[in-house]
Structures are given as structure tokens and as C-alpha cells.
Amino acid sequence: MLPLFGGDENLSVDMIPVTLNGTKVSAQPGMTILELARENGVDIPTLCYRPELTPIGACRICVVEVEGSRTLVASCHTPVAANMVIHTHSPKVLEARKVIVELLLASHPDVCLVCDKANTCELRKIAADLGVGLPRFRVKKRYHPLEDVSPYVVRDLDKCILCRRCLRACHEIKKADVFAIAYRGFDSKVVVDQDQPLNKSVCRDCDVCISLCPVGALTKREERFKEKKGPPLFIKA
Amino acid sequence: MPEQRIVLRNCGVIDPKDISTYLSQGGFKALEKALGELAPEQVIEEIKKSGLLGRGGAGFPTGLKWQFASEASGEEKYVICNADEGEVGTFKDRYILERDPFSLIEAMAIAGYAIGANKGYIYLRAEYHHLLGLLEGAIVQCEGKGFLAKQGNFKFDIEIREGAGAYVCGEETALMDSIEGKRGEARYKPPFPPSQGLWQKPTIINNVETLMNIPPIILKGSDWFNRIGTERSKGTKVFSVSGDVRAPGTYELVMGSSLKELVEDLALAEKVKMVQVGGASGRVIPYHLIDTPLAFEGVLGAGAIIVFNESRDVIDIVRRTMEFFAEESCGKCTPCREGTQVMLEILTRFCHGQGLKQDIENLESLANVMMLTSLCGLGQAAPNSVVDTLAHYRSAYESRVQG
Ligand SMILES: Cc1cc2nc3c(=O)[nH]c(=O)nc-3n(C[C@H](O)[C@H](O)[C@H](O)COP(=O)(O)O)c2cc1C
Ligand code: SF4
Ligand code: SF4
Ligand code: FES
């Protein structure tokens, strides 16, 4: 917040001193750790977070280390506090992010080569950035029948990583509430009505969910099988 | 150390259906004293000085929680009693609710006066539906006697909300979502409930047993309470003892008593192999550590004591524990939703003697990340039994690795 009048003292009173990866920086009150990092050119990966949606803290990929905290904290919803000492890429943080990506990949169908999302997939990009190849964990795969009845959206929920962007976009941007979460734990699922396939009568073809889905779970019918442009992905490790 | 009844003072003494029996034991004298002699800040000061820590598992200082809520700005504030009692092997809150509902109501009213709330909720676990009538009857009797009616600025109204059978709804923020009529899932913190809780309003949430300590502290003073127990753990703790014991049940002991005393001398266990203290999310204590004190300095949790004798298979116990968490995970965050399922599958392999060499290492790294990154206490505590048994019974795992 800029003061209406007054000098620099006023400005500095409003700013919060923080140490980010060893550098002293200042943050505005109310800012999240993620916003501060991005403002300072530090890249923290995110999956469930989108600037236009309310954060939910579901995917946990954005965790960072804050000195004095028992756990890591998710940067997308944790506000900065005075004198926080933050490490966004410590070994502990990188290991946690890797494990989280490996967990998401462990239950993910092995269809990346033929997936319509191709190189625009955010999960693949983050996996590549973190140097994750084959996940070390084994777990059952989810099986949900392909939902191919809506004229607009094709839903392939085997690929869904439960980031809930579609659900929040539909609720917050379109105010339509087509989606909800049903079941619990590993069986959780983004459902329509009483777990009916997405169809024409509930969804009004706005695309907002499709455009926000980070993976290949939601596809626009006309765009299936078309070429997707994305940067090439290299696994760093 | 002896058994001492502070929390269970009226259990078996009064008739829970008849308020006159409660009044003849000094019932509502504490509320009277608070309203008549103490300012709200003085009530909070007394609770702070008593050193009372929350009995729901996390051990947060009760007085401090109340102070945060009292200082938070807002006209409307709420008091919630957490009677979800979902932890595996806990039944002490049920024991209290069945026998002394009046003390709980009195305590909630005192809490309301202290923080400036005039509405309270009791969140009752679905499986305790049979207690609904008793609790409603108790509230009606308290109202009938005018204890909750307007006295000066004070007035208090209590409503009971029933859960729907989810363990995670015992977690404070999931519980608030559930009261609000939403799917019960944990919210991220901060903001913490004392500043933004139920319907975003300042809210305190306390366990049944925590609240039961309030009237005696107000009546007898913080000094009295502060003298009972250990350095950091004041007062008593109520335990629910079950498993391989001859005398299962509810016991109230002074903080700092030893696990051995409770399990062997009182509950009459023999040939103990290990004890799960704090239920599924608690710690596994092997027999050679049975002298560990029951206190926040030692082990405690919400007071579930599950005893296993030498005939039990460690890995089978851990697998069952993980099955519980995989079933109860709300599914919101990745490490808990996926991690509990991965762990369950690994542990199932071990049970069948088909563990893989890398499984032990994978369990360890996964446990570490679940504890560090899960959104709520469920996922953070889910790997506890895995971590503890890997530390104390590693050979049980190693002997079941294939090849
Ligand atoms: C998964 C989970 C389940 C919980 N279940 C209960 C419960 O059944 N009863 C309870 O009092 N606290 C439970 N808690 C702890 C509450 O979140 C909260 O800390 C407690 O009600 C605060 O009260 P206290 O300060 O009086 O202990 C649970 C916590 C977690 C993470
Ligand atoms: S369908 Fe896509 S946007 Fe919706 S929750 Fe699944 S991964 Fe996220
Ligand atoms: S830790 Fe488990 S129960 Fe808690 S929010 Fe995450 S998925 Fe839900
Ligand atoms: S991006 Fe922060 S929890 Fe998903």
C-alpha cells in the first residue's frame, strides 16, 4: 500500500522484511510466499494454484521451507510474516516435491505418448523440471470410464490429478457449480450430479474448465487429435 | 501416581438426566462465580495461569486460544465443543457425555462469557446418536433453570450438530466446514479459527475433556490446578484403555503417571508386546519403553491406549492402521490421498511375505514427505506407526522381504 502523503518512513513501516533464499527482500502485507517469490524472480512450481482462483492448498507441490516451522508450508496460501526466513529450493524441499510428483505419476495412466495434452501438460513439465523419470512407488491405477457424451467436453478422469481447478473455475468464474467432489481418499473424484457423466443439460459450453485443466483430463471435443504446440521437455537429471 | 478424579468428578455421582443432582454437587457455581466476580479477561487469565493444555491431541494452551478469540474483532463469535471422538480406541469423551453433560454445558457457557460469544455448538460424532436425547435434555434443563438466559451482557445458546461418520471431521477446520453444511475437509491455516473460524468468525474449539477442566479451575483457582501434574503437563488425563487387557475402560490419572502403571497395574495387561498411545495417529511404544511418562513431555495424544500382547503381529497391526487412514483420508491433498494408498499396498505386500527390497526405503522417504507436506494433521500423523515400528521392529520388515 502506498501512503497518500508522507515520506519514505511511511513506506518502510508498511513493508515486511523477509529473507528469501539468503537475500533480504521486503514484502507487502497480505502477500503470499509464492507472490513474493515470483515478484523476486524465484520460480516455485504450482499445480492447483491459479492466480484467478481462490487457493485451496491441495497439490502441495509449492511447499517451501520456513525456518522454525515443524512442517514445510505451502507457498500458494501462506502469507509472509515479518522476519520469515524462507528457502524455496533446499534439498528437503526438492525431495518433497519429487515425492509428490512421483505419487501423482504412480497412479497416472502410462499414456503420455499418445495423450492429447502432449507437451502442454503441466504435470509432465514439472516432472521434467524436477528430474523425475519413472516413479519409485507402485500403486493401483484409477479406472473411470471415459466420459464422451457431452458435445463440448470430453472427460478422461483416469488422468485427473484432483487439483480442482475445473471445480473452482466453474463455481467462481462461471457461477455454475456443475462439478463437486465425491467419495474420499484415493477414490475421490470430480463428479457431476450424483456421479453422472458430464452431459449437455448441465454444462453450457464455456470452456473455462478445459482451459484450466493442467493435464489431459479435460479436452475440447473439436480439438481432440489436433497438434498441440508446447516447448520440448527435457528431463534434467 | 494415584488415580485422581477432576474431569470425571461427577461421573457415577450425579444422575445425567436430572439437573438437581448436578446442582447439589455445586453445579453452575463456577459460572455464577465467573459472571459475578470475574471480568472476561480475568477468566482467560485464570485459564492461562492454570497451564491447561488441550486434550484433543495437539496440546495447545487453552487460555491462549481463548485470548486470541477474545482479542479478535467481530460481533459474532462461537464456542465449539469437539465431541467427534473419532480417534481409534478413544471412548473417554463418550464416557463423560453419558455421565456428566451438565459440566460440559457449564464450561461452554463460561467459555462464551470469556471470549464474548453467545452461541455454542456441540459437534457430536454420528456414532453417538444415542446420546442426542440426553444432551438435548440437559440443555433444556439448564435453560429451564435460567443459567443460559440473559444475565447482564451475557446470554448463551447451545446447539448440537451431528457428524456423518468421517474421522477427518474431528479436525477443527473440517469440523467447521461440516457444521457449515459443506463436505468435511480440512482448510489450510492460517487463518486460524480464533481469528477466522466458523463462518469466518472468531471461534474457539475445544475437546470435551479440555472443557470439563474449566469449572473446577474457576472454582478452585489456577494455583490449585497448577500444582497437579508435571512441569509442562498440568492436571490429569483421562485414558481409554482397550486391547489385550483384562480390565479395559476409562481411567483418569495425574499427568506424568507411567504407561506401565496404567497398562499393567490398572488395566491388568500381561505379556505386553507394544502399546499404541494416542490411537491410530499415535506413537507405538515397545515394551522396553513401558516406563515412558504419560504427559506432553512423554507420550499422550488424545489418551487412547491400545495394548497388544506377544501373540500379535506388528506388521499386521500397522497395515490395519494404514487401512484406516487410507479409508479416512479426505482426498484433498496429494501426499495423504496417494501416500496412504501407496503405504497400504506396501504393507499388504509385507503381510504376505512379499515385501520388495526398496519398499523399506520407500516407506521411510514417503513417511517423511507425508509428515512434512500434508495439509492437515491426518496425513501428517498417518505414517507414525510405520515410522515407530521401522525404528523398533525393523527385523519384522526385513524378514519379509522377498528374495
Ligand atoms: C484428523 C484429526 C482428527 C481429530 N479428531 C479429533 C476429535 O475427534 N476430537 C477432538 O477433540 N479433537 C480432534 N482433533 C484435534 C482438533 O483438530 C483440535 O485440535 C482440538 O479439537 C482442539 O481442542 P483442544 O485444544 O481442547 O484439544 C483431530 C485432529 C485431526 C488432525
Ligand atoms: S479434471 Fe483437470 S482441472 Fe479438474 S480436477 Fe482433474 S486435473 Fe484438475
Ligand atoms: S492430510 Fe489427508 S485428510 Fe488432511 S487434507 Fe490432506 S487428504 Fe485430507
Ligand atoms: S500450488 Fe500450492 S498447494 Fe497446490
Side-chain angles (χ1 to χ4, degrees):
Chain A
M1 278 236 292
L2 285 172
L4 285 178
F5 36 78
D8 289 348
E9 319 93 283
N10 253 344
L11 192 76
S12 57
V13 163
D14 272 341
M15 299 301 276
I16 302 175
V18 183
T19 308
L20 181 68
N21 296 337
T23 311
K24 293 224 181 309
V25 296
S26 47
Q28 288 116 43
M31 201 179 206
T32 62
I33 296 174
L34 179 68
E35 285 162 348
L36 175 78
R38 292 199 167 161
E39 195 179 270
N40 287 279
V42 174
D43 183 33
I44 297 173
T46 54
L47 273 172
C48 65
Y49 170 82
R50 282 291 302 195
E52 62 274 63
L53 302 173
T54 320
I56 50 164
C59 75
R60 316 306 287 170
I61 198 80
C62 69
V63 287
V64 298
E65 198 174 338
V66 171
E67 282 182 19
S69 166
R70 182 176 53 87
T71 60
L72 299 177
V73 304
S75 59
C76 70
H77 60 67
T78 305
V80 285
N83 305 316
M84 255 186 184
V85 180
I86 304 163
H87 304 280
T88 62
H89 287 74
S90 64
K92 196 165 153 186
V93 167
L94 291 179
E95 166 64 9
R97 287 189 195 140
K98 265 191 188 167
V99 166
I100 290 168
V101 171
E102 287 178 71
L103 285 172
L104 289 171
L105 289 176
S107 59
H108 206 76
D110 300 318
V111 294
C112 293
L113 283 178
V114 292
C115 178
D116 238 27
K117 197 75 176 179
N119 282 3
T120 58
C121 175
E122 294 176 37
L123 180 60
R124 283 182 68 189
K125 168 150 192 336
I126 290 175
D129 286 349
L130 286 165
V132 171
L134 281 177
R136 71 190 99 162
F137 310 112
R138 292 202 319 194
V139 73
K140 67 181 176 186
K141 307 270 178 198
R142 293 186 176 79
Y143 177 69
H144 302 296
L146 184 76
E147 292 182 16
D148 201 7
V149 288
S150 154
Y152 323 114
V153 191
V154 179
R155 289 212 311 163
D156 184 358
L157 293 181
D158 291 357
K159 296 177 186 166
C160 172
I161 57 165
L162 293 159
C163 70
R164 306 191 187 183
R165 286 191 195 170
C166 53
L167 189 149
R168 281 175 291 154
C170 191
H171 172 74
E172 293 173 19
I173 299 173
K174 276 319 268 194
K175 313 252 180 288
D177 282 320
V178 168
F179 300 116
I181 295 284
Y183 314 110
R184 317 192 275 203
F186 192 83
D187 298 330
S188 305
K189 184 183 173 191
V190 181
V191 298
V192 177
D193 292 339
Q194 303 288 317
D195 198 1
Q196 262 78 50
L198 181 65
N199 61 39
K200 204 158 104 172
S201 64
V202 290
C203 161
R204 289 182 301 260
D205 183 24
C206 71
D207 284 1
V208 64
C209 59
I210 304 177
S211 64
L212 287 176
C213 181
V215 292
L218 304 179
T219 320
K220 202 173 165 73
R221 180 169 290 281
E222 309 91 88
E223 285 177 10
R224 281 199 303 170
F225 316 124
K226 289 206 182 128
E227 190 191 348
K228 303 287 187 310
K229 292 250 171 9
L233 296 176
F234 296 104
I235 295 185
K236 280 180 190 156
Chain B
M1 250 172 267
E3 288 187 79
Q4 184 174 342
R5 294 202 149 206
I6 295 175
V7 171
L8 305 180
R9 59 196 174 275
N10 289 327
C11 294
V13 176
I14 65 159
D15 175 358
K17 292 197 179 73
D18 181 359
I19 195 169
S20 69
T21 61
Y22 179 61
L23 297 178
S24 63
Q25 291 297 317
F28 282 102
K29 287 275 185 280
L31 178 64
E32 234 167 64
K33 178 174 174 188
L35 293 177
E37 299 169 25
L38 303 169
E41 303 76 46
Q42 289 172 304
V43 173
I44 292 175
E45 202 47 39
E46 273 303 287
I47 304 301
K48 273 172 75 178
K49 278 198 292 192
S50 75
L52 177 66
L53 304 180
R55 304 299 198 231
F60 192 83
T62 305
L64 198 59
K65 189 184 277 190
W66 291 19
Q67 185 187 336
F68 290 148
S70 106
E71 287 168 359
S73 56
E75 283 294 292
E76 250 171 287
K77 297 182 183 181
Y78 299 103
V79 173
I80 300 177
C81 167
N82 190 341
D84 195 52
E85 194 162 57
E87 187 56 60
V88 178
T90 27
F91 43 81
K92 47 119 188 153
D93 292 344
R94 183 187 69 199
Y95 185 92
I96 295 166
L97 294 169
E98 281 169 352
R99 289 164 179 77
D100 188 13
F102 301 112
S103 290
L104 187 69
I105 294 167
E106 180 174 3
M108 288 178 73
I110 295 170
Y113 172 68
I115 70 159
N118 50 34
K119 173 100 194 174
Y121 289 92
I122 298 174
Y123 189 84
L124 187 66
R125 102 173 258 187
E127 291 81 350
Y128 293 173
H129 179 73
H130 64 286
L131 293 176
L132 186 63
L134 181 79
L135 290 173
E136 279 174 346
I139 294 170
V140 168
Q141 289 183 56
C142 294
E143 284 169 348
K145 294 274 180 196
F147 290 120
L148 307 178
K150 200 162 173 61
Q151 303 169 56
N153 278 333
F154 173 79
K155 170 183 162 297
F156 202 68
D157 173 39
I158 298 179
E159 202 178 305
I160 303 172
R161 287 294 174 97
E162 286 190 276
Y167 169 64
V168 72
C169 286
E171 195 281 334
E172 53 192 22
T173 59
L175 187 154
M176 288 171 201
D177 267 16
S178 174
I179 292 184
E180 290 176 17
K182 300 180 191 146
R183 176 182 160 96
E185 286 181 342
R187 310 172 184 167
Y188 55 75
K189 294 180 260 192
F192 293 95
S195 55
Q196 283 179 47
L198 190 60
W199 288 295
Q200 308 300 319
K201 304 280 193 281
T203 304
I204 57 165
I205 175 162
N206 280 120
N207 173 255
V208 172
E209 184 187 343
T210 313
L211 289 165
M212 293 297 287
N213 282 293
I214 301 297
I217 292 174
I218 294 300
L219 275 181
K220 300 185 186 173
S222 55
D223 288 342
W224 160 77
F225 192 79
N226 206 268
R227 279 196 294 271
I228 307 164
T230 68
E231 179 71 32
R232 272 180 49 217
S233 313
K234 301 302 179 187
T236 59
K237 180 78 190 84
V238 183
F239 297 97
S240 321
V241 186
S242 64
D244 297 321
V245 294
R246 272 194 289 135
T250 308
Y251 296 89
E252 180 170 3
L253 300 186
V254 173
M255 286 276 193
S257 305
S258 86
L259 180 58
K260 184 185 173 77
E261 202 179 338
L262 175 58
V263 164
E264 291 189 333
D265 302 350
L266 294 170
L268 307 176
E270 281 163 14
K271 298 204 166 103
V272 176
K273 181 178 207 164
M274 60 184 219
V275 186
Q276 228 175 355
V277 180
S281 66
R283 310 301 334 194
V284 174
I285 305 296
Y287 189 71
H288 71 270
L289 296 177
I290 195 94
D291 285 319
T292 307
L294 292 162
F296 290 103
E297 298 95 320
V299 278
L300 202 59
I305 305 284
I306 310 173
V307 181
F308 299 97
N309 69 21
E310 285 164 6
S311 72
R312 307 289 168 182
D313 173 25
V314 173
I315 303 215
D316 183 53
I317 294 164
V318 179
R319 190 198 61 80
R320 283 161 197 269
T321 303
M322 196 51 66
E323 195 175 356
F324 171 76
F325 286 117
E327 168 75 27
E328 295 296 339
S329 161
C330 82
K332 188 175 191 175
C333 75
T334 314
C336 170
R337 180 187 67 232
E338 310 286 323
T340 51
Q341 181 64 32
V342 169
M343 283 196 162
L344 176 60
E345 292 187 21
I346 294 177
L347 293 164
T348 306
R349 282 204 289 277
F350 275 106
C351 276
H352 297 151
Q354 294 170 343
L356 305 174
K357 248 206 251 97
Q358 66 273 26
D359 276 341
I360 294 183
E361 207 178 296
N362 284 350
L363 279 177
E364 277 171 338
S365 46
L366 185 53
N368 183 39
V369 170
M370 286 167 72
M371 293 192 281
L372 284 175
T373 65
S374 291
L375 174 60
C376 85
L378 191 151
Q380 289 165 13
N384 282 351
S385 64
V386 174
V387 172
D388 290 348
T389 52
L390 274 172
H392 298 299
Y393 300 96
R394 204 175 184 88
S395 58
Y397 287 85
E398 283 165 351
S399 67
R400 302 204 197 179
V401 171
Q402 216 175 22

